[in-house]
Amino acid sequence: LFLATLTYDTLRFEYEDFPETKEPVWILGRKYSVFTEKEEILLDVTSRLWFTYRKNFPAIGGTGPTSDTGWGCMLRCGQMIFAQALVCRHLGRDWRWIKGKRQMDNYFNVLNAFIDKKDSYYSIHQIAQMGVGEGKSIGQWYGPNTVAQVLKKLATFDTWSSLAVHIAMDNTVVMEEIRRLCQSNFPCAGAAACPAVESDLLYNGYPEEAGLRDRLSLWKPLVLLIPLRLGLTEINEAYIETLKHCFMMPQSLGVIGGKPNSAHYFIGYVGEELIYLDPHTTQPAVEPNDSGCLPDESFHCQHPPCRMSIAELDPSIAVGFFCNTEEDFNDWCQQIKKLSLVRGALPMFELVERQPSHFSNPDVLNLTPDSLDADRLERFFDSEDEDFEILSL
């Protein structure tokens, strides 16, 4: 637990810079050269929202933990991958955070959705308490599948973002299911036929017109999370090229997973190394200052990101993608189909038009991981509860 006790200031000088290599650096669908674009690489990394362990936040559930050190690393990784979806949704992939530069309101709206307090959409409080319904007691470590299931449930309350969250199980992505889910908020043929939005309808404090616009949209922005197991105790080498290609897609949200004793948020790769943001730094909880502004520097990693060999990756992961429009989704499908033709790249999951007859659609049946089948899947994807993460011991 030594890393968990370090502060941000003591860590910032202990990370290696990027290697001098001709290999391209891929960060969430963007390609860079170390020789000519190092500043751009670091700016891109710094602009991702970085969530770490925190201490001295309000007690979870009123009487629970006031710090997540030692147990919250996968919850923080879930926050990071979902924050990237919200950044793409509200700010765009080209948005950059620059220290000292005034940011737009939407940036603070996104950041506030993850602040450590009970009424933030995706706070550690909400994730931990929602996890109780998934069979995880507060303070218990999550696997990638658990945090994905919890984030899907929490997203239903985020009417400002109006996301369609789909978790593809059984290593299968069903295009028909996703189209039905993303088009479900368009109940009528045209705007004139739709009932007016009630004047007193609130969108959690956000502009009413944003809610109306989303209701009239043909496509809900899609967050696609795919829990996978790419081997038994270590990653099968045959999946490595496919995993790399996922970071090359413009729809990439990265990967949550890790290695023994650590959960990480992977945002790219260079050569045979994965690039990741590490939540294992304990920082004080952040409160708005006297002027009501939220100090945000501690939510951005301002040193070179961590790297690790792809071969060290634990095989249990969840891959994320964001498709803002139907065109984005169609393009993603085409890329996945082409990827299946790449020599030496074993597909990590199957892409099909319609649901195979051998398993049921959890979106239609509204199943949760409380069901027997989901418990079986949970044990499969979260087998690392015993082997993968033992920080609290």
Side-chain angles (χ1 to χ4, degrees), residues 196-259:
V197 178
E198 295 88 342
S199 60
D200 60 347
L201 186 61
L202 296 179
Y203 287 88
N204 293 334
Y206 297 110
E208 180 180 305
E209 59 269 19
L212 176 60
R213 181 180 66 248
D214 291 336
R215 283 179 56 171
L216 300 181
S217 171
L218 283 168
W219 179 269
K220 270 189 176 181
L222 169 69
V223 176
L224 174 60
L225 299 173
I226 311 173
L228 299 166
R229 191 163 189 95
L230 305 181
L232 293 176
T233 58
E234 56 187 37
I235 185 171
N236 186 328
E237 290 182 2
Y239 293 118
I240 288 178
E241 285 304 311
T242 313
L243 181 63
K244 287 181 178 180
H245 275 78
C246 288
F247 292 109
M248 298 164 67
M249 297 179 185
Q251 296 88 351
S252 176
L253 290 177
V255 173
I256 54 175
K259 57 184 178 180

Side-chain angles (χ1 to χ4, degrees), residues 272-341:
E272 299 305 312
E273 290 185 316
L274 293 171
I275 300 166
Y276 65 92
L277 296 178
D278 189 351
H280 298 91
T281 301
T282 300
Q283 303 188 84
V286 172
E287 295 285 343
N289 58 29
D290 293 339
S291 61
C293 295
L294 188 70
D296 66 336
E297 284 191 24
S298 67
F299 295 100
H300 296 275
C301 182
Q302 297 173 61
H303 54 65
C306 306
R307 303 191 312 276
M308 62 173 260
S309 169
I310 298 177
E312 295 178 35
L313 181 68
D314 188 274
S316 184
I317 64 172
V319 183
F321 301 97
F322 177 75
C323 300
N324 196 42
T325 65
E326 188 170 10
E327 289 73 20
D328 288 339
F329 177 64
N330 291 336
D331 176 72
W332 179 83
C333 291
Q334 290 303 313
Q335 291 183 73
I336 295 298
K337 290 174 182 176
K338 290 178 182 177
L339 185 54
S340 66
L341 305 176

Side-chain angles (χ1 to χ4, degrees), residues 89-388:
R89 168 78 169 102
H90 298 291
L91 302 171
R93 179 63 183 87
D94 293 329
W95 170 82
R96 295 292 182 266
W97 180 85
I98 299 174
K99 184 177 179 179
K101 180 181 178 182
R102 180 177 174 81
Q103 292 294 334
M104 60 187 76
D105 289 345
N106 273 359
Y107 161 74
F108 287 104
N109 289 341
V110 171
L111 184 55
N112 274 307
F114 298 89
I115 294 300
D116 299 321
K117 55 184 183 180
K118 64 179 182 179
D119 54 350
S120 297
Y121 290 129
Y122 310 104
S123 66
I124 194 83
H125 299 64
Q126 294 280 11
I127 297 175
Q129 291 187 288
M130 185 66 78
V132 173
E134 308 296 316
K136 299 290 186 181
S137 58
I138 294 174
Q140 186 177 356
W141 194 82
Y142 288 20
N145 181 52
T146 300
V147 78
Q149 299 287 353
V150 168
L151 288 167
K152 175 181 177 178
K153 289 187 174 183
L154 293 176
T156 62
F157 301 99
D158 181 3
T159 53
W160 176 57
S161 298
S162 188
L163 298 169
V165 181
H166 181 75
I167 301 173
M169 302 303 293
D170 285 355
N171 299 347
T172 305
V173 177
V174 183
M175 291 181 278
E176 185 180 62
E177 285 180 15
I178 290 174
R179 291 195 176 96
R180 174 187 51 76
L181 180 67
C182 292
Q183 294 168 354
S184 63
N185 66 327
F186 191 70
C188 46
C194 292
V197 178
E198 295 88 342
S199 60
D200 60 347
L201 186 61
L202 296 179
Y203 287 88
N204 293 334
Y206 297 110
E208 180 180 305
E209 59 269 19
L212 176 60
R213 181 180 66 248
D214 291 336
R215 283 179 56 171
L216 300 181
S217 171
L218 283 168
W219 179 269
K220 270 189 176 181
L222 169 69
V223 176
L224 174 60
L225 299 173
I226 311 173
L228 299 166
R229 191 163 189 95
L230 305 181
L232 293 176
T233 58
E234 56 187 37
I235 185 171
N236 186 328
E237 290 182 2
Y239 293 118
I240 288 178
E241 285 304 311
T242 313
L243 181 63
K244 287 181 178 180
H245 275 78
C246 288
F247 292 109
M248 298 164 67
M249 297 179 185
Q251 296 88 351
S252 176
L253 290 177
V255 173
I256 54 175
K259 57 184 178 180
N261 302 330
S262 300
H264 302 317
Y265 173 42
F266 299 96
I267 58 174
Y269 79 94
V270 54
E272 299 305 312
E273 290 185 316
L274 293 171
I275 300 166
Y276 65 92
L277 296 178
D278 189 351
H280 298 91
T281 301
T282 300
Q283 303 188 84
V286 172
E287 295 285 343
N289 58 29
D290 293 339
S291 61
C293 295
L294 188 70
D296 66 336
E297 284 191 24
S298 67
F299 295 100
H300 296 275
C301 182
Q302 297 173 61
H303 54 65
C306 306
R307 303 191 312 276
M308 62 173 260
S309 169
I310 298 177
E312 295 178 35
L313 181 68
D314 188 274
S316 184
I317 64 172
V319 183
F321 301 97
F322 177 75
C323 300
N324 196 42
T325 65
E326 188 170 10
E327 289 73 20
D328 288 339
F329 177 64
N330 291 336
D331 176 72
W332 179 83
C333 291
Q334 290 303 313
Q335 291 183 73
I336 295 298
K337 290 174 182 176
K338 290 178 182 177
L339 185 54
S340 66
L341 305 176
V342 175
R343 188 172 181 176
L346 188 66
M348 298 189 301
F349 54 87
E350 186 179 6
L351 180 66
V352 298
E353 180 61 42
R354 292 179 179 81
Q355 178 178 291
S357 58
H358 62 270
F359 70 95
S360 300
N361 176 6
D363 285 332
V364 172
L365 300 177
N366 196 29
L367 294 178
T368 72
D370 295 323
S371 69
L372 179 62
D373 287 343
D375 280 342
R376 174 180 58 82
L377 287 169
E378 186 68 15
R379 288 194 299 273
F380 178 75
F381 284 113
D382 282 357
S383 60
E384 69 271 45
D385 279 354
E386 297 179 0
D387 302 320
F388 174 65

